[in-house]
Amino acid sequence: MLIRLLQRVSDIRLVQEVNPEAVPPLGFAESKGSDGTDKVFFKNHLTMYVKGGVWLKMNEVAAADV
C-alpha cells in the first residue's frame, strides 16, 4: 500500500505549523542525540512515535504521468 501511495504523489512536504508540539525543543540540535537536521521530535514508549503525529501535504501526480 505504501509503495502504491508513493507512486501516486509527486511531492511530500512536512507541515510543522499544524503540530507545534512535534517540533524539537530549543537547544536540541546541539545535543548528543541530534545531527542538527531534526524536523520532528521523536518520543518512545513501546514503539517510537512523533508526539501529535506527523502532518504532511502531498501533491497527486497528474493523470497523464501515471
Side-chain angles (χ1 to χ4, degrees):
M1 193 264 329
L2 183 59
I3 297 298
R4 189 67 183 133
L5 173 69
L6 294 175
Q7 289 173 338
R8 302 283 303 174
V9 296
S10 61
D11 182 42
I12 300 174
R13 287 175 280 123
L14 179 64
V15 185
Q16 289 180 306
E17 57 273 6
V18 174
N19 184 16
E21 42 179 44
V23 177
L26 293 175
F28 183 73
E30 290 81 37
S31 71
K32 289 181 2 181
S34 171
D35 65 359
T37 62
D38 305 287
K39 302 279 187 209
V40 294
F41 189 60
F42 288 98
K43 308 275 287 173
N44 61 25
H45 185 58
L46 293 175
T47 60
M48 188 178 289
Y49 65 99
V50 175
K51 185 175 181 181
V54 176
W55 292 79
L56 305 171
K57 282 189 179 184
M58 298 181 186
N59 294 327
E60 189 171 359
V61 173
D65 295 337
V66 176

